[in-house]
Amino acid sequence: MTGVVHPVSSNQHPVSSIQYPVSNIQHLPSFLLSLGMDLSVIIVNYNVKYFLEQCLHSVMKAIEGIRAEVFVVDNHSADGSVQMVRDKFPDVKLIANAVNAGFAKANNQAVRMATGRYVLLLNPDTVVQEDSFTSCISYMDSNPDAGCLGVKMIDGKGRFLPESKRALPTPAVAFYKIFGLSALFPHSHRFGKYHLGFLDKDKIHDVDVISGAYMFMRRSALEKTGLLDETFFMYGEDIDMSYRFNLAGFRNVYYPRTTIIHYKGESTRKGSINYVLVFYRAMIIFAQKHFKGNSFRLYSFLIHLAIYFRAGFSILTRFISGTITAVFDALLIYCGFLFILPLWEQHHFGYRGYYPSEYLSFAVPSYIFIWLVSIYFTTGYDKKVKLNDLVRGVLMGSLVILVIYALLPETWRFSRALIVLGSFWVIISTILTRYLLHILNKGAFSLEISRKKKRIIIIGDTQEGERVYSIIKQTQVLPELVGYVDPFSGGNIRSIGHLDQIDEIVRINQVDELIFCSASVSSEQIIRTMLRFNDSGLEFKIAPPASLSVIGSNSIDTTGELYVLHFNTLSRKSSRHKKRFLDVVISILFLVFSPVMLFMVRNKPGYFRNAFSVLAGFSSWVGYYGSTGGEHPGLPKIKKGILTPVDGMIPGAELVNQMNLSYAKDYRLTNDLRIIAHNLKNLGQDSSSVNHTETAFGKERKI
C-alpha cells in the first residue's frame, strides 16, 4: 500500500440528507474485485495524535494475515498527526483535509476509495485485539443477513461501556434517557431500553444501533443503504446508519466475542454544554428524517426540553461546584477576623473598638477577595489540591495585599499585623476546609499533604520497559517502579514475575498502576488483564512501541490521561493557573508603578493597553513566537503573548521551533520573569505585530 494525501475543501462530495442512492458508493470494477481485498479500515482523526498512534499499532497487528487496507482521514489536525502517520505508518492511505470536514464527510471520503468486502469505521481512541478483525469477518461470512456489527467495548479502566449496544431512540426511549429513568432502572425492559441493559453483555444479540466507534459494515449492504449522512457533523450518524441498515432488511449485531478498548471523551467532554447542544441537535436531525407527524413533534419537544434542562443543569452544577468552596472560605475567613480583631485591639491598645467600621465592611472583604483569587490561580479550588500550592497561594495573596497596603494613603492603612495574623488564619482555615471535604466527599475531593509516589509495574520485556520508564520519569509523575513483569512464563530472569502471576504481584506490592508495553504484550493480553481488575481501582496505561507517549484513561467522561515526554509542564492545568496568576500580579504592579515604568517603555499608550488586556485575560505577557491567538501547532494552547522567548534574537525557522518547544516543555515562572525583565522597553508593543513578524539582521519586517 502507498500513502496518499488528498487535501479537500469543505464543499466536496455533497451528500443529500434524505436520498441515499446506490451511486453514492462506487461499484468496484472487475480488476479491483479480483484483488480480493477483505477489509477496509477507516479512521477519522482530529488532534489526537498519540491515541491515533496507539490505535494504528493495534490495527497493524490485527490485519496480519488479512487482505486489508487502512485509511486515516485527518480533519486538519494541528498536533502533528499527519506527519506522524507519514513517518511511522507509510503503508496507511492518508487523506489530509484542509478543513475539519466532520465525522460523516471524512468517513465518506475514504469509503468511496475503499475496496474491501467489509468496511470498518474505527475511532482513533481505540485499541483492537489481534483477533478482532478475523473474528468479525468470520461471523459476517457465516451470517449474510448481518449488515453491520459492533463489538464489546471497555473504557481505559476495563469497565464495560453500555453504548456497545443500544436501542433506537424513539420518543419513549428518549424520554426515559433524558430524565434519568434509564440510569435508575438500567435492567428494566421498559426504562432500560436506551442501552439495552436487560440484554446479557456477553452474548450475541440483534440490536437497533451500533456505535460509530467500531462499525463493521458489509460493503454490499452499504451499497444499498448509501453513505453516511453528512448533515450530521458529529454524533447521530451511527444511529442514522444503523436504522437504514434495518430498513434495508439487514441485521445489526452486537458481537461480544472480541473486545476493544475505547478511550472515551477525547473530542468533547460529555458534561459540557457544547456536547449537550451538538448531541441533541443531531437527535433532532434524525427525528426530522425518520419520524413523521405527531411522533416528530413529540420527539422535537422532548429534545428541546432536554437541551434546556441539561444545559441549565450543567451551568448550575458548574456554578455551585466552582463557587461553594470559595463562598465557604470567604465566610470562614471573615468569621475569623470577627474573632481576631477584638482580641488584637484588646491586646495591643487595651480596649476594643479602636478600628473604624470600614475595616470590617471594606478592608477585610478586599483582603478576602485577593486571597481567594490567589488561591484560585494556584489551583486551590481544583479537585486535587496540593498542600504546598495552597499555602503558596495564600502567601502570594498576602504579598499582593502588603504591596497595595504600602501604596495606600495613611488614612487607609489600618494594620500590617492584622494582615499577617489574617494570613495565618487563612492558611489554617483553608487547610481544615479541604481536609473536611477530603473526608466527606470520599474521593471526589482530595488534599495531597505529601507527594506520594505512584507504585507502578511495567509489563513487557526489560529493554522496552526501561525505555518506557525513562519517559515517565521525565514527566510530572513521581513513579516508584516496583519492577518489570514478563508477558510470558519462564521469561527474563530480571523480571519479578510473569503475567499469569499478576494478581498476586499486584496484591503483595500494593501496586497503583499497570503499564503495558504493546511492543511485547498483545492487545488480547492487555484487555484480558484489564478485565480481571476492572473494579479494583487499579489504573492502566499502554505504551506504543518507539513512541514518546504512554496513554490511559481514568474516567469514562474525561479525556484520556496521557504521559508525554514533550510539553509535559505547560500542558498541566496547574502550570497554566500559575502562569495566569503571574500575569495578573505583574499587570497590577505595572499599573501601580506606571509613573516609573513609563520612563522605560517605548510605546506608552500600548503599555496601558497591554496591561489591561493581560489583566482581562485576552493575552499573556509571554507567549509563543509566530502564533495566532496563542495557538501553535503541536504545542499546548496558551494566550497570545506580548513578549516571546525569541525576543532579542534573530529567529530563523529552526530556532523559533526550538525556543517555542523549550518554553513549553520546561516552563517555569522564572522564565516569564526573565523574558519580561530583559524586554521592559517593549512592554507596550503590539502583540499582533510581534507574533507575525520575523527579525532579520536586528530589524523587524512584516511577513
Side-chain angles (χ1 to χ4, degrees):
M1 293 182 288
T2 303
V4 294
V5 180
H6 297 280
V8 300
S9 64
S10 58
N11 59 358
Q12 279 186 315
H13 306 308
V15 179
S16 168
S17 62
I18 304 297
Q19 301 283 332
Y20 294 91
V22 174
S23 59
N24 276 336
I25 301 178
Q26 62 181 6
H27 289 283
L28 300 180
S30 57
F31 79 91
L32 282 178
L33 288 172
S34 65
L35 294 177
M37 196 70 73
D38 289 320
L39 178 63
S40 299
V41 181
I42 299 172
I43 304 170
V44 174
N45 174 71
Y46 180 65
N47 285 332
V48 285
K49 176 175 72 172
Y50 295 107
F51 291 93
L52 174 64
E53 179 185 3
Q54 180 174 261
C55 176
L56 285 172
H57 277 297
S58 70
V59 166
M60 292 306 170
K61 288 183 180 180
I63 64 173
E64 290 180 5
I66 301 175
R67 292 166 296 185
E69 58 186 353
V70 181
F71 293 86
V72 169
V73 187
D74 185 82
N75 267 336
H76 198 48
S77 295
D79 65 347
S81 294
V82 169
Q83 193 60 45
M84 182 277 293
V85 174
R86 288 173 179 159
D87 293 342
K88 295 190 174 184
F89 303 95
D91 289 339
V92 167
K93 297 182 177 180
L94 176 65
I95 302 174
N97 285 338
V99 295
N100 185 353
F103 180 80
K105 181 174 286 189
N107 272 300
N108 286 344
Q109 290 173 242
V111 170
R112 291 187 178 91
M113 300 169 59
T115 60
R117 294 188 297 120
Y118 297 105
V119 175
L120 170 63
L121 307 186
L122 183 67
N123 268 26
D125 55 346
T126 57
V127 176
V128 300
Q129 290 187 179
E130 286 77 8
D131 70 339
S132 289
F133 300 160
T134 54
S135 183
C136 292
I137 290 173
S138 176
Y139 180 86
M140 295 290 275
D141 283 347
S142 302
N143 295 269
D145 58 339
C148 187
L149 177 146
V151 298
K152 182 179 181 180
M153 298 188 295
I154 60 173
D155 69 5
K157 297 203 77 171
R159 296 169 297 198
F160 174 71
L161 291 174
E163 58 266 36
S164 300
K165 48 183 175 63
R166 284 181 290 169
L168 191 71
T170 61
V173 172
F175 178 84
Y176 302 144
K177 168 67 175 173
I178 290 166
F179 292 98
L181 293 174
S182 60
L184 287 174
F185 309 102
H187 303 297
S188 167
H189 280 69
R190 175 184 292 274
F191 301 123
K193 282 186 176 180
Y194 188 82
H195 287 134
L196 300 173
F198 49 86
L199 296 181
D200 190 335
K201 68 178 185 298
D202 296 316
K203 293 183 178 180
I204 299 173
H205 300 284
D206 284 2
V207 296
D208 294 331
V209 177
I210 299 299
S211 171
Y214 187 102
M215 208 167 194
F216 199 97
M217 302 178 292
R218 187 184 303 275
R219 183 182 180 85
S220 58
L222 194 58
E223 289 176 347
K224 293 183 178 179
T225 60
L227 295 171
L228 277 71
D229 184 352
E230 296 178 9
T231 308
F232 298 93
F233 182 83
M234 187 176 177
Y235 305 118
E237 57 281 295
D238 51 354
I239 299 175
D240 176 71
M241 198 74 211
S242 299
Y243 186 57
R244 286 192 279 126
F245 277 119
N246 279 155
L247 292 178
F250 294 98
R251 295 163 51 219
N252 294 319
V253 179
Y254 167 67
Y255 182 73
R257 291 183 181 172
T258 187
T259 304
I260 70 167
I261 303 171
H262 182 201
Y263 298 106
K264 291 169 56 67
E266 290 3 301
S267 299
T268 305
R269 291 183 180 269
K270 292 208 161 188
S272 69
I273 296 173
N274 181 62
Y275 168 80
V276 172
L277 293 175
V278 173
F279 179 78
Y280 285 119
R281 282 173 181 166
M283 294 300 96
I284 290 177
I285 295 172
F286 176 80
Q288 285 175 329
K289 286 181 56 179
H290 300 295
F291 297 153
K292 305 297 181 184
N294 291 334
S295 293
F296 168 69
R297 284 189 288 271
L298 175 60
Y299 196 90
S300 179
F301 170 77
L302 288 174
I303 294 300
H304 282 94
L305 184 63
I307 290 174
Y308 294 121
F309 176 78
R310 291 289 297 274
F313 183 76
S314 177
I315 293 171
L316 181 63
T317 302
R318 286 189 175 192
F319 176 78
I320 292 174
S321 63
T323 60
I324 190 168
T325 308
V327 170
F328 190 76
D329 281 343
L331 291 174
L332 199 57
I333 295 169
Y334 191 83
C335 290
F337 270 94
L338 291 177
F339 180 75
I340 294 170
L341 179 62
L343 288 180
W344 174 253
E345 289 175 326
Q346 186 68 44
H347 169 75
H348 194 66
F349 302 105
Y351 67 95
R352 299 184 179 185
Y354 174 83
Y355 293 104
S357 59
E358 288 82 4
Y359 184 75
L360 286 174
S361 61
F362 177 76
V364 172
S366 299
Y367 299 161
I368 293 173
F369 176 76
I370 294 172
W371 273 316
L372 296 185
V373 170
S374 177
I375 292 170
Y376 170 78
F377 282 118
T378 52
T379 68
Y381 291 108
D382 287 0
K383 288 186 177 181
K384 290 186 178 180
V385 182
K386 294 186 177 71
L387 181 60
N388 57 345
D389 286 342
L390 186 61
V391 174
R392 186 187 300 115
V394 176
L395 294 179
M396 290 180 71
S398 300
L399 179 62
V400 173
I401 293 171
L402 289 170
V403 170
I404 296 174
Y405 176 90
L407 299 172
L408 291 174
E410 188 67 32
T411 54
W412 286 99
R413 297 182 195 175
F414 295 104
S415 172
R416 288 188 182 89
L418 283 173
I419 295 174
V420 174
L421 290 172
S423 299
F424 284 113
W425 169 242
V426 175
I427 291 173
I428 294 169
S429 63
T430 51
I431 291 176
L432 288 175
T433 300
R434 279 142 189 80
Y435 184 70
L436 181 64
L437 290 172
H438 173 77
I439 296 173
L440 295 178
N441 280 5
K442 298 179 180 180
F445 186 95
S446 62
L447 176 64
E448 297 181 15
I449 298 175
S450 62
R451 298 188 73 185
K452 178 187 175 184
K453 289 188 176 182
K454 183 179 289 187
R455 293 175 61 80
I456 65 172
I457 281 178
I458 298 179
I459 302 173
D461 64 74
T462 306
Q463 182 178 357
E464 179 67 3
E466 289 175 347
R467 183 191 72 82
V468 171
Y469 186 52
S470 68
I471 293 174
I472 298 172
K473 285 194 297 184
Q474 296 183 61
T475 69
Q476 294 298 307
V477 181
L478 287 174
E480 180 182 343
L481 179 63
V482 174
Y484 301 102
V485 170
D486 199 279
F488 308 102
S489 59
N492 197 313
I493 59 173
R494 292 180 59 189
S495 65
I496 61 174
H498 52 82
L499 194 54
D500 291 341
Q501 302 170 298
I502 193 65
D503 297 81
E504 189 174 359
I505 293 172
V506 168
R507 179 179 57 81
I508 293 173
N509 294 282
Q510 297 181 328
V511 175
D512 299 307
E513 182 170 278
L514 300 181
I515 299 177
F516 301 94
C517 302
S518 62
S520 48
V521 187
S522 69
S523 298
E524 182 181 357
Q525 287 176 303
I526 293 171
I527 291 172
R528 189 168 61 242
T529 305
M530 290 173 66
L531 289 172
R532 287 165 68 174
F533 293 101
N534 66 344
D535 292 321
S536 65
L538 200 64
E539 297 177 10
F540 308 99
K541 289 185 174 59
I542 303 175
S547 174
L548 296 177
S549 65
V550 183
I551 299 173
S553 183
N554 284 332
S555 170
I556 188 173
D557 292 327
T558 58
T559 54
E561 188 177 6
L562 178 66
Y563 298 160
V564 188
L565 180 59
H566 295 309
F567 331 137
N568 58 294
T569 306
L570 197 49
S571 62
R572 287 168 58 86
K573 185 179 180 181
S574 59
S575 295
R576 294 194 298 271
H577 272 309
K578 292 172 185 176
K579 179 176 175 61
R580 176 62 184 148
F581 180 77
L582 182 67
D583 279 340
V584 171
V585 171
I586 290 177
S587 297
I588 293 173
L589 292 176
F590 280 169
L591 291 172
V592 170
F593 292 103
S594 58
V596 177
M597 296 297 298
L598 288 176
F599 286 103
M600 294 181 279
V601 177
R602 289 175 178 171
N603 184 348
K604 295 171 176 54
Y607 173 81
F608 288 103
R609 181 184 64 245
N610 289 341
F612 284 112
S613 175
V614 174
L615 195 60
F618 296 120
S619 55
S620 175
W621 284 114
V622 182
Y624 302 131
Y625 184 92
S627 65
T628 302
E631 295 187 26
H632 199 284
L635 298 179
K637 184 179 178 181
I638 57 175
K639 302 292 183 182
K640 65 178 180 179
I642 307 300
L643 306 172
T644 77
V646 187
D647 287 352
M649 304 180 185
I650 302 176
E654 185 175 348
L655 176 62
V656 167
N657 291 333
Q658 182 181 347
M659 293 298 292
N660 283 336
L661 173 61
S662 177
Y663 179 75
K665 178 183 175 183
D666 301 314
Y667 176 76
R668 293 178 177 85
L669 294 181
T670 52
N671 293 346
D672 279 4
L673 291 173
R674 176 181 53 78
I675 293 170
I676 293 170
H678 289 171
N679 294 277
L680 291 176
K681 62 184 178 181
N682 296 324
L683 293 176
Q685 67 188 1
D686 185 356
S687 61
S688 62
S689 65
V690 171
N691 285 306
H692 298 286
T693 61
E694 66 177 7
T695 306
F697 306 108
K699 296 181 180 180
E700 292 184 349
R701 62 183 178 87
K702 297 286 182 180
I703 60 173

